[in-house]
Amino acid sequence: MNNCLICPICKSSLELSGKSLVCRKNHSFDIARQGYVNLLPVQNKKSLHPGDTREMLSARRSFLDSGIYMPVRNIVVSEVSRLAESLDKPLIVDMGCGEGYYTCSIKDSVKDCECIGIDISKDAVKMACSRDKSVSWIAATAGCIPVKNDSTDIITAIFSLISKNEYLRILKKGGFVVEITAGNNHLKELKQIIYDEVYVQNKKPSFIGEEFKEIKREEHKFSFSLKNEELQTLLAMTPHFWRIKKENREKLEKISELTLTAHFWLRVLRKL
């Protein structure tokens, strides 16, 4: 486990003691058999089982492992690798890591880095453990990141919301945020089938404060085709699955193949 972790209750350093992480005030957190640690106290939960469900995570693993989102992965890995070139053993924190697809791709591509994968879903980090035991997998919330102040070189947020104050706290001066956000036309063809009306949105990275300098912003698009079974897997890994009406689900089931648009923004921020 990474030595930059802190207690989510008292904020003091966590040290490895047997098969647990313990702080100086004797708050203790067991390392699960699979290898992750739950640093999400009950008081920080808004539900009994926060985050993505096991079904969503299994669908996401199946979809991502098919390689369809490889262009997203390659852009993230290329950018993080470029930023890490001049850093000595950089600490990279992947926020909203899910089942670990992007986290492990980064870990495999950046030489001598340390990686922490954080997700609010305990099921997500439990599943991520099967990808790479050398990553520190942590169940925690973005509103209370259990990482030391000024310790992190790079934060990645891939289709994950930014927690400005916590990012500022854990990043070193000059540290980076690599962010991927969905664009206006992301999966528009699927939305046009599963919703009665699709509203035009202006999705692009928004200004988050003068404490960061935006050093890169790029818009990316690519197309891919899915057969019906793959479409159902894609739907199952998204929140759209829970919002679809019965009649629109039946309409989707009748489609044998669909070409979709992946539309997203890459943004890189530097802490001033």
Side-chain angles (χ1 to χ4, degrees), residues 220-252:
H220 294 270
K221 291 182 183 180
F222 65 93
S223 297
F224 58 98
S225 296
L226 299 180
K227 297 190 182 302
N228 189 269
E229 184 179 348
E230 297 168 316
L231 272 175
Q232 299 295 339
T233 300
L234 172 61
L235 179 62
M237 79 180 212
T238 71
H240 302 301
F241 179 82
W242 306 104
R243 302 170 187 159
I244 188 173
K245 293 180 180 178
K246 180 182 177 183
E247 55 267 32
N248 290 339
R249 187 184 300 278
E250 290 172 350
K251 190 191 307 182
L252 183 65

Side-chain angles (χ1 to χ4, degrees), residues 29-263:
F29 305 89
D30 293 338
I31 300 173
R33 174 177 52 82
Q34 294 87 349
Y36 71 93
V37 177
N38 187 354
L39 297 181
L40 182 60
V42 173
Q43 59 267 33
N44 288 348
K45 290 184 177 182
K46 294 183 180 179
S47 68
L48 286 175
H49 302 286
D52 293 340
T53 64
R54 292 179 187 176
E55 292 78 14
M56 290 175 71
L57 292 161
S58 294
R60 185 169 296 128
R61 170 159 288 190
S62 177
F63 182 83
L64 293 173
D65 282 352
S66 73
I68 293 166
Y69 270 20
M70 188 70 76
V72 182
R73 171 206 174 276
N74 290 345
I75 286 166
V76 171
V77 166
S78 175
E79 195 59 39
V80 174
S81 298
R82 183 184 68 81
L83 295 172
E85 280 179 356
S86 60
L87 302 174
D88 181 32
K89 294 185 178 178
L91 174 61
I92 302 169
V93 176
D94 185 23
M95 293 301 305
C97 67
E99 50 69 61
Y101 173 77
Y102 295 105
T103 323
C104 292
S105 296
I106 293 165
K107 181 70 166 59
D108 290 343
S109 302
V110 180
K111 186 179 178 181
D112 293 330
C113 72
E114 293 184 73
C115 272
I116 300 175
I118 296 178
D119 200 282
I120 197 170
S121 168
K122 186 171 72 172
D123 287 328
V125 294
K126 184 187 295 186
M127 187 179 291
C129 288
S130 65
R131 285 196 184 274
D132 190 337
K133 300 289 187 185
S134 68
V135 175
S136 295
W137 301 108
I138 309 295
T141 173
C144 182
I145 302 174
V147 175
K148 290 180 181 179
N149 296 358
D150 308 310
S151 63
T152 305
D153 295 283
I154 300 171
I155 296 173
T156 52
I158 304 165
F159 299 113
S160 177
L161 294 176
I162 280 184
S163 180
K164 174 187 170 182
N165 291 336
E166 281 294 270
Y167 284 17
L168 285 171
R169 180 183 66 79
I170 72 169
L171 274 175
K172 295 176 181 177
K173 184 177 180 179
F176 300 98
V177 179
V178 176
E179 177 193 29
I180 296 288
T181 54
N184 291 340
N185 297 319
H186 189 58
L187 306 181
K188 66 176 182 178
E189 299 85 0
L190 176 63
K191 294 174 186 175
Q192 287 166 353
I193 295 169
I194 65 175
Y195 293 122
D196 296 333
E197 187 175 358
V198 179
Y199 299 98
V200 177
Q201 295 177 296
N202 185 27
K203 289 186 174 182
K204 57 178 62 177
S206 57
F207 178 70
I208 66 165
E210 296 179 352
E211 299 91 342
F212 289 105
K213 180 180 180 181
E214 185 176 298
I215 60 174
K216 179 178 281 192
R217 179 189 292 225
E218 294 178 350
E219 187 177 16
H220 294 270
K221 291 182 183 180
F222 65 93
S223 297
F224 58 98
S225 296
L226 299 180
K227 297 190 182 302
N228 189 269
E229 184 179 348
E230 297 168 316
L231 272 175
Q232 299 295 339
T233 300
L234 172 61
L235 179 62
M237 79 180 212
T238 71
H240 302 301
F241 179 82
W242 306 104
R243 302 170 187 159
I244 188 173
K245 293 180 180 178
K246 180 182 177 183
E247 55 267 32
N248 290 339
R249 187 184 300 278
E250 290 172 350
K251 190 191 307 182
L252 183 65
E253 288 172 353
K254 294 176 182 177
I255 293 174
S256 60
E257 188 171 357
L258 185 66
T259 298
L260 294 148
T261 301
H263 179 202

